PDB file of all heavy atoms in Angstrom:
ATOM      1  N   SER A 433     -15.728 -43.867 -16.246  1.00 60.00           N
ATOM      2  CA  SER A 433     -15.446 -44.392 -17.617  1.00 60.00           C
ATOM      3  C   SER A 433     -14.174 -45.353 -17.577  1.00 60.00           C
ATOM      4  O   SER A 433     -14.245 -46.385 -18.225  1.00 60.00           O
ATOM      5  CB  SER A 433     -15.277 -43.324 -18.594  1.00 60.00           C
ATOM      6  OG  SER A 433     -14.199 -42.450 -18.242  1.00 60.00           O
ATOM      7  N   SER A 434     -13.078 -44.941 -16.890  1.00 57.00           N
ATOM      8  CA  SER A 434     -11.949 -45.711 -16.865  1.00 57.00           C
ATOM      9  C   SER A 434     -12.205 -47.030 -16.093  1.00 57.00           C
ATOM     10  O   SER A 434     -11.658 -48.101 -16.555  1.00 57.00           O
ATOM     11  CB  SER A 434     -10.848 -44.950 -16.143  1.00 57.00           C
ATOM     12  OG  SER A 434     -11.160 -44.699 -14.864  1.00 57.00           O
ATOM     13  N   SER A 435     -13.094 -47.036 -15.191  1.00 56.00           N
ATOM     14  CA  SER A 435     -13.415 -48.244 -14.420  1.00 56.00           C
ATOM     15  C   SER A 435     -14.114 -49.271 -15.308  1.00 56.00           C
ATOM     16  O   SER A 435     -13.880 -50.382 -15.365  1.00 56.00           O
ATOM     17  CB  SER A 435     -14.258 -47.980 -13.127  1.00 56.00           C
ATOM     18  OG  SER A 435     -14.571 -49.140 -12.497  1.00 56.00           O
ATOM     19  N   SER A 436     -15.081 -48.717 -16.134  1.00 55.00           N
ATOM     20  CA  SER A 436     -15.854 -49.585 -17.048  1.00 55.00           C
ATOM     21  C   SER A 436     -15.014 -50.183 -18.165  1.00 55.00           C
ATOM     22  O   SER A 436     -15.077 -51.297 -18.527  1.00 55.00           O
ATOM     23  CB  SER A 436     -16.975 -48.792 -17.673  1.00 55.00           C
ATOM     24  OG  SER A 436     -16.504 -47.735 -18.421  1.00 55.00           O
ATOM     25  N   VAL A 437     -13.986 -49.334 -18.641  1.00 50.00           N
ATOM     26  CA  VAL A 437     -13.085 -49.817 -19.670  1.00 50.00           C
ATOM     27  C   VAL A 437     -12.248 -50.929 -19.114  1.00 50.00           C
ATOM     28  O   VAL A 437     -11.928 -52.002 -19.687  1.00 50.00           O
ATOM     29  CB  VAL A 437     -12.196 -48.706 -20.245  1.00 50.00           C
ATOM     30  CG1 VAL A 437     -11.077 -49.288 -21.071  1.00 50.00           C
ATOM     31  CG2 VAL A 437     -13.079 -47.730 -21.011  1.00 50.00           C
ATOM     32  N   GLU A 438     -11.766 -50.727 -17.789  1.00 52.00           N
ATOM     33  CA  GLU A 438     -10.918 -51.686 -17.155  1.00 52.00           C
ATOM     34  C   GLU A 438     -11.648 -53.022 -16.998  1.00 52.00           C
ATOM     35  O   GLU A 438     -11.105 -54.105 -17.239  1.00 52.00           O
ATOM     36  CB  GLU A 438     -10.415 -51.230 -15.837  1.00 52.00           C
ATOM     37  CG  GLU A 438      -9.467 -52.072 -15.075  1.00 52.00           C
ATOM     38  CD  GLU A 438      -9.040 -51.438 -13.779  1.00 52.00           C
ATOM     39  OE1 GLU A 438      -9.535 -50.381 -13.378  1.00 52.00           O
ATOM     40  OE2 GLU A 438      -8.223 -52.138 -13.140  1.00 52.00           O
ATOM     41  N   LYS A 439     -12.911 -52.989 -16.648  1.00 53.00           N
ATOM     42  CA  LYS A 439     -13.716 -54.176 -16.510  1.00 53.00           C
ATOM     43  C   LYS A 439     -13.797 -54.930 -17.836  1.00 53.00           C
ATOM     44  O   LYS A 439     -13.663 -56.155 -17.846  1.00 53.00           O
ATOM     45  CB  LYS A 439     -15.095 -53.860 -15.992  1.00 53.00           C
ATOM     46  CG  LYS A 439     -15.144 -53.367 -14.508  1.00 53.00           C
ATOM     47  CD  LYS A 439     -16.564 -53.018 -14.127  1.00 53.00           C
ATOM     48  CE  LYS A 439     -16.622 -52.540 -12.700  1.00 53.00           C
ATOM     49  NZ  LYS A 439     -17.998 -52.080 -12.297  1.00 53.00           N
ATOM     50  N   ALA A 440     -14.081 -54.243 -18.938  1.00 48.00           N
ATOM     51  CA  ALA A 440     -14.181 -54.809 -20.229  1.00 48.00           C
ATOM     52  C   ALA A 440     -12.927 -55.505 -20.725  1.00 48.00           C
ATOM     53  O   ALA A 440     -12.985 -56.554 -21.363  1.00 48.00           O
ATOM     54  CB  ALA A 440     -14.686 -53.832 -21.221  1.00 48.00           C
ATOM     55  N   THR A 441     -11.737 -54.919 -20.351  1.00 52.00           N
ATOM     56  CA  THR A 441     -10.530 -55.482 -20.887  1.00 52.00           C
ATOM     57  C   THR A 441      -9.920 -56.549 -19.986  1.00 52.00           C
ATOM     58  O   THR A 441      -9.052 -57.256 -20.414  1.00 52.00           O
ATOM     59  CB  THR A 441      -9.502 -54.330 -21.016  1.00 52.00           C
ATOM     60  OG1 THR A 441      -9.327 -53.731 -19.702  1.00 52.00           O
ATOM     61  CG2 THR A 441      -9.961 -53.310 -22.037  1.00 52.00           C
ATOM     62  N   THR A 442     -10.436 -56.682 -18.793  1.00 48.00           N
ATOM     63  CA  THR A 442      -9.843 -57.635 -17.924  1.00 48.00           C
ATOM     64  C   THR A 442     -10.694 -58.900 -17.628  1.00 48.00           C
ATOM     65  O   THR A 442     -10.377 -59.814 -16.956  1.00 48.00           O
ATOM     66  CB  THR A 442      -9.569 -57.039 -16.481  1.00 48.00           C
ATOM     67  OG1 THR A 442     -10.785 -56.582 -15.951  1.00 48.00           O
ATOM     68  CG2 THR A 442      -8.551 -55.986 -16.643  1.00 48.00           C
ATOM     69  N   LYS A 443     -11.890 -58.972 -18.323  1.00 46.00           N
ATOM     70  CA  LYS A 443     -12.787 -60.148 -18.098  1.00 46.00           C
ATOM     71  C   LYS A 443     -12.167 -61.422 -18.606  1.00 46.00           C
ATOM     72  O   LYS A 443     -12.570 -62.470 -18.191  1.00 46.00           O
ATOM     73  CB  LYS A 443     -14.114 -59.815 -18.683  1.00 46.00           C
ATOM     74  CG  LYS A 443     -14.997 -58.926 -17.941  1.00 46.00           C
ATOM     75  CD  LYS A 443     -16.367 -58.743 -18.549  1.00 46.00           C
ATOM     76  CE  LYS A 443     -17.217 -57.917 -17.655  1.00 46.00           C
ATOM     77  NZ  LYS A 443     -18.594 -57.710 -18.228  1.00 46.00           N
ATOM     78  N   GLU A 444     -11.272 -61.304 -19.558  1.00 46.00           N
ATOM     79  CA  GLU A 444     -10.676 -62.497 -20.179  1.00 46.00           C
ATOM     80  C   GLU A 444      -9.584 -63.102 -19.301  1.00 46.00           C
ATOM     81  O   GLU A 444      -9.114 -64.200 -19.515  1.00 46.00           O
ATOM     82  CB  GLU A 444     -10.095 -62.161 -21.531  1.00 46.00           C
ATOM     83  CG  GLU A 444     -11.179 -61.753 -22.562  1.00 46.00           C
ATOM     84  CD  GLU A 444     -10.544 -61.343 -23.895  1.00 46.00           C
ATOM     85  OE1 GLU A 444      -9.306 -61.458 -24.046  1.00 46.00           O
ATOM     86  OE2 GLU A 444     -11.326 -61.029 -24.779  1.00 46.00           O
ATOM     87  N   GLN A 445      -9.175 -62.339 -18.242  1.00 55.00           N
ATOM     88  CA  GLN A 445      -8.116 -62.786 -17.367  1.00 55.00           C
ATOM     89  C   GLN A 445      -8.646 -63.039 -16.031  1.00 55.00           C
ATOM     90  O   GLN A 445      -9.160 -62.133 -15.306  1.00 55.00           O
ATOM     91  CB  GLN A 445      -7.020 -61.801 -17.424  1.00 55.00           C
ATOM     92  CG  GLN A 445      -6.409 -61.450 -18.721  1.00 55.00           C
ATOM     93  CD  GLN A 445      -5.361 -60.336 -18.685  1.00 55.00           C
ATOM     94  OE1 GLN A 445      -5.028 -59.839 -17.582  1.00 55.00           O
ATOM     95  NE2 GLN A 445      -4.936 -59.884 -19.813  1.00 55.00           N
ATOM     96  N   ARG A 446      -8.602 -64.346 -15.607  1.00 52.00           N
ATOM     97  CA  ARG A 446      -9.235 -64.670 -14.375  1.00 52.00           C
ATOM     98  C   ARG A 446      -8.616 -63.998 -13.116  1.00 52.00           C
ATOM     99  O   ARG A 446      -9.292 -63.555 -12.237  1.00 52.00           O
ATOM    100  CB  ARG A 446      -9.135 -66.179 -14.194  1.00 52.00           C
ATOM    101  CG  ARG A 446      -9.954 -66.761 -13.014  1.00 52.00           C
ATOM    102  CD  ARG A 446     -10.013 -68.280 -13.064  1.00 52.00           C
ATOM    103  NE  ARG A 446     -10.807 -68.767 -11.971  1.00 52.00           N
ATOM    104  CZ  ARG A 446     -10.432 -68.987 -10.786  1.00 52.00           C
ATOM    105  NH1 ARG A 446      -9.154 -68.654 -10.425  1.00 52.00           N
ATOM    106  NH2 ARG A 446     -11.206 -69.490  -9.812  1.00 52.00           N
ATOM    107  N   ASP A 447      -7.291 -63.920 -13.104  1.00 53.00           N
ATOM    108  CA  ASP A 447      -6.677 -63.274 -11.948  1.00 53.00           C
ATOM    109  C   ASP A 447      -7.007 -61.767 -11.824  1.00 53.00           C
ATOM    110  O   ASP A 447      -7.275 -61.361 -10.790  1.00 53.00           O
ATOM    111  CB  ASP A 447      -5.127 -63.376 -12.092  1.00 53.00           C
ATOM    112  CG  ASP A 447      -4.613 -64.814 -11.947  1.00 53.00           C
ATOM    113  OD1 ASP A 447      -5.423 -65.563 -11.460  1.00 53.00           O
ATOM    114  OD2 ASP A 447      -3.557 -65.152 -12.420  1.00 53.00           O
ATOM    115  N   ASP A 448      -7.069 -61.106 -12.914  1.00 53.00           N
ATOM    116  CA  ASP A 448      -7.432 -59.662 -12.925  1.00 53.00           C
ATOM    117  C   ASP A 448      -8.928 -59.541 -12.507  1.00 53.00           C
ATOM    118  O   ASP A 448      -9.262 -58.577 -11.771  1.00 53.00           O
ATOM    119  CB  ASP A 448      -7.250 -59.013 -14.324  1.00 53.00           C
ATOM    120  CG  ASP A 448      -5.777 -58.795 -14.525  1.00 53.00           C
ATOM    121  OD1 ASP A 448      -5.011 -58.879 -13.583  1.00 53.00           O
ATOM    122  OD2 ASP A 448      -5.408 -58.509 -15.715  1.00 53.00           O
ATOM    123  N   ASP A 449      -9.803 -60.473 -12.913  1.00 51.00           N
ATOM    124  CA  ASP A 449     -11.206 -60.356 -12.430  1.00 51.00           C
ATOM    125  C   ASP A 449     -11.293 -60.516 -10.982  1.00 51.00           C
ATOM    126  O   ASP A 449     -12.030 -59.743 -10.355  1.00 51.00           O
ATOM    127  CB  ASP A 449     -11.986 -61.550 -13.117  1.00 51.00           C
ATOM    128  CG  ASP A 449     -12.228 -61.281 -14.630  1.00 51.00           C
ATOM    129  OD1 ASP A 449     -12.044 -60.100 -14.969  1.00 51.00           O
ATOM    130  OD2 ASP A 449     -12.523 -62.246 -15.361  1.00 51.00           O
ATOM    131  N   ILE A 450     -10.536 -61.415 -10.342  1.00 49.00           N
ATOM    132  CA  ILE A 450     -10.577 -61.542  -8.969  1.00 49.00           C
ATOM    133  C   ILE A 450     -10.085 -60.273  -8.237  1.00 49.00           C
ATOM    134  O   ILE A 450     -10.651 -59.817  -7.281  1.00 49.00           O
ATOM    135  CB  ILE A 450      -9.751 -62.720  -8.495  1.00 49.00           C
ATOM    136  CG1 ILE A 450     -10.310 -64.037  -9.038  1.00 49.00           C
ATOM    137  CG2 ILE A 450      -9.620 -62.905  -6.992  1.00 49.00           C
ATOM    138  CD1 ILE A 450      -9.547 -65.284  -8.858  1.00 49.00           C
ATOM    139  N   LEU A 451      -9.038 -59.696  -8.839  1.00 54.00           N
ATOM    140  CA  LEU A 451      -8.510 -58.439  -8.296  1.00 54.00           C
ATOM    141  C   LEU A 451      -9.493 -57.327  -8.310  1.00 54.00           C
ATOM    142  O   LEU A 451      -9.714 -56.582  -7.309  1.00 54.00           O
ATOM    143  CB  LEU A 451      -7.161 -58.058  -8.986  1.00 54.00           C
ATOM    144  CG  LEU A 451      -6.508 -56.791  -8.538  1.00 54.00           C
ATOM    145  CD1 LEU A 451      -6.063 -56.936  -7.080  1.00 54.00           C
ATOM    146  CD2 LEU A 451      -5.292 -56.494  -9.409  1.00 54.00           C
ATOM    147  N   VAL A 452     -10.103 -57.158  -9.414  1.00 50.00           N
ATOM    148  CA  VAL A 452     -11.180 -56.107  -9.545  1.00 50.00           C
ATOM    149  C   VAL A 452     -12.339 -56.292  -8.623  1.00 50.00           C
ATOM    150  O   VAL A 452     -12.791 -55.423  -7.999  1.00 50.00           O
ATOM    151  CB  VAL A 452     -11.602 -56.090 -11.039  1.00 50.00           C
ATOM    152  CG1 VAL A 452     -12.911 -55.119 -11.161  1.00 50.00           C
ATOM    153  CG2 VAL A 452     -10.610 -55.625 -11.963  1.00 50.00           C
ATOM    154  N   GLU A 453     -12.719 -57.580  -8.409  1.00 53.00           N
ATOM    155  CA  GLU A 453     -13.840 -57.932  -7.540  1.00 53.00           C
ATOM    156  C   GLU A 453     -13.486 -57.568  -6.117  1.00 53.00           C
ATOM    157  O   GLU A 453     -14.274 -57.021  -5.370  1.00 53.00           O
ATOM    158  CB  GLU A 453     -14.182 -59.342  -7.628  1.00 53.00           C
ATOM    159  CG  GLU A 453     -14.882 -59.738  -8.952  1.00 53.00           C
ATOM    160  CD  GLU A 453     -15.104 -61.242  -9.019  1.00 53.00           C
ATOM    161  OE1 GLU A 453     -14.793 -61.983  -7.995  1.00 53.00           O
ATOM    162  OE2 GLU A 453     -15.607 -61.707 -10.035  1.00 53.00           O
ATOM    163  N   LYS A 454     -12.246 -57.811  -5.724  1.00 53.00           N
ATOM    164  CA  LYS A 454     -11.800 -57.524  -4.378  1.00 53.00           C
ATOM    165  C   LYS A 454     -11.807 -55.996  -4.202  1.00 53.00           C
ATOM    166  O   LYS A 454     -12.164 -55.442  -3.088  1.00 53.00           O
ATOM    167  CB  LYS A 454     -10.371 -58.096  -4.118  1.00 53.00           C
ATOM    168  CG  LYS A 454     -10.396 -59.554  -3.859  1.00 53.00           C
ATOM    169  CD  LYS A 454      -9.006 -60.052  -3.433  1.00 53.00           C
ATOM    170  CE  LYS A 454      -8.976 -61.512  -3.054  1.00 53.00           C
ATOM    171  NZ  LYS A 454      -7.672 -61.967  -2.652  1.00 53.00           N
ATOM    172  N   GLU A 455     -11.324 -55.290  -5.219  1.00 52.00           N
ATOM    173  CA  GLU A 455     -11.279 -53.785  -5.089  1.00 52.00           C
ATOM    174  C   GLU A 455     -12.710 -53.177  -4.948  1.00 52.00           C
ATOM    175  O   GLU A 455     -12.921 -52.315  -4.182  1.00 52.00           O
ATOM    176  CB  GLU A 455     -10.570 -53.207  -6.263  1.00 52.00           C
ATOM    177  CG  GLU A 455      -9.077 -53.479  -6.341  1.00 52.00           C
ATOM    178  CD  GLU A 455      -8.426 -52.982  -7.551  1.00 52.00           C
ATOM    179  OE1 GLU A 455      -9.144 -52.457  -8.432  1.00 52.00           O
ATOM    180  OE2 GLU A 455      -7.252 -53.131  -7.728  1.00 52.00           O
TER     181      GLU A 455
END
Side-chain angles (χ1 to χ4, degrees):
S433 62
S434 62
S435 177
S436 61
V437 170
E438 185 178 3
K439 290 179 183 178
T441 56
T442 57
K443 283 185 178 180
E444 298 178 358
Q445 303 176 4
R446 189 171 183 276
D447 293 341
D448 285 349
D449 286 341
I450 295 174
L451 180 61
V452 172
E453 290 175 2
K454 285 186 176 182
E455 291 176 357

